[in-house]
């Protein structure tokens, strides 16, 4: 929409499908060369939806070769414990079993950051993560 992928980042489970829809009057394409999933490069005229299924966990960059500024990301998760942050960076997990967890945080400009957290049996486990540009 408006020569931008909306949303820019989407998370799907392994085996999940993303429907790419072109709402613009212009021709676009969706192009990705993942390492673990199937490579694709499909032209996309106006009002055309192209479903793509992602079988294996990885972070996949999606580009439009016709408009170099158009980029999106599909994060394929190997488990059901994932979130996309709100605009202010906040996120929460509800009903997470108590225990120790290793959180993997990803941002397209900073890469991966790992954090350890302990979730108590009662209450919450606040966590602050700082991402720094390299």
């Amino acid at each position: 929409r408006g020569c931008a992928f909306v949303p820019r980042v989407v998370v799907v489970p392994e085996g999940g499908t993303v429907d790419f829809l072109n709402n613009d009057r212009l021709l676009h394409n969706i192009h990705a060369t993942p390492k673990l999933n199937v490579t694709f490069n499909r032209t996309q005229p106006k009002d055309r939806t192209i479903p793509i299924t992602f079988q294996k966990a990885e972070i996949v960059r999606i580009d439009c070769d016709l408009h170099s500024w158009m980029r999106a990301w599909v994060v394929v998760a190997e488990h059901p414990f994932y979130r996309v942050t709100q605009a202010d960076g906040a996120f929460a997990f509800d009903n997470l079993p108590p225990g120790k967890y290793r959180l993997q945080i990803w941002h397209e400009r900073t890469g991966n950051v790992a954090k350890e957290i302990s979730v108590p049996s009662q209450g919450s486990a606040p966590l602050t993560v700082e991402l720094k540009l390299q």
Side-chain angles (χ1 to χ4, degrees), residues 15-34:
T17 299
V18 176
D19 290 329
F20 292 91
L21 169 64
N22 179 3
N23 284 327
D24 292 333
R25 293 178 298 164
L26 301 170
L27 179 69
H28 291 297
N29 79 314
I30 52 173
H31 185 189
T33 54

Side-chain angles (χ1 to χ4, degrees), residues 40-54:
F40 56 90
N41 189 358
R42 307 270 307 269
T43 57
Q44 190 176 36
K46 179 179 174 22
D47 295 329
R48 183 171 185 199
T49 298
I50 299 174
I52 303 288
T53 300
F54 298 88

Side-chain angles (χ1 to χ4, degrees), residues 48-78:
R48 183 171 185 199
T49 298
I50 299 174
I52 303 288
T53 300
F54 298 88
Q55 296 295 340
K56 301 197 182 215
E58 73 172 319
I59 298 171
V60 180
R61 183 174 123 176
I62 313 293
D63 290 300
C64 174
D65 297 326
L66 304 172
H67 305 98
S68 61
W69 63 90
M70 288 181 65
R71 178 159 299 144
W73 302 89
V74 175
V75 179
V76 187
E78 63 184 314

Side-chain angles (χ1 to χ4, degrees), residues 53-121:
T53 300
F54 298 88
Q55 296 295 340
K56 301 197 182 215
E58 73 172 319
I59 298 171
V60 180
R61 183 174 123 176
I62 313 293
D63 290 300
C64 174
D65 297 326
L66 304 172
H67 305 98
S68 61
W69 63 90
M70 288 181 65
R71 178 159 299 144
W73 302 89
V74 175
V75 179
V76 187
E78 63 184 314
H79 52 73
F81 302 106
Y82 54 82
R83 295 292 182 271
V84 175
T85 62
Q86 299 171 18
D88 65 357
F91 66 95
F93 290 96
D94 297 326
N95 303 317
L96 197 61
K100 287 190 169 201
Y101 293 90
R102 183 172 188 266
L103 224 57
Q104 188 74 28
I105 299 101
W106 173 84
H107 186 280
E108 68 180 282
R109 293 182 61 199
T110 61
N112 288 313
V113 173
K115 288 284 186 178
E116 299 287 331
I117 188 166
S118 291
V119 175
S121 58

Side-chain angles (χ1 to χ4, degrees), residues 120-134:
S121 58
Q122 297 289 319
S124 62
L127 174 71
T128 299
V129 179
E130 250 186 72
L131 301 176
K132 296 182 180 180
L133 293 174
Q134 305 277 335

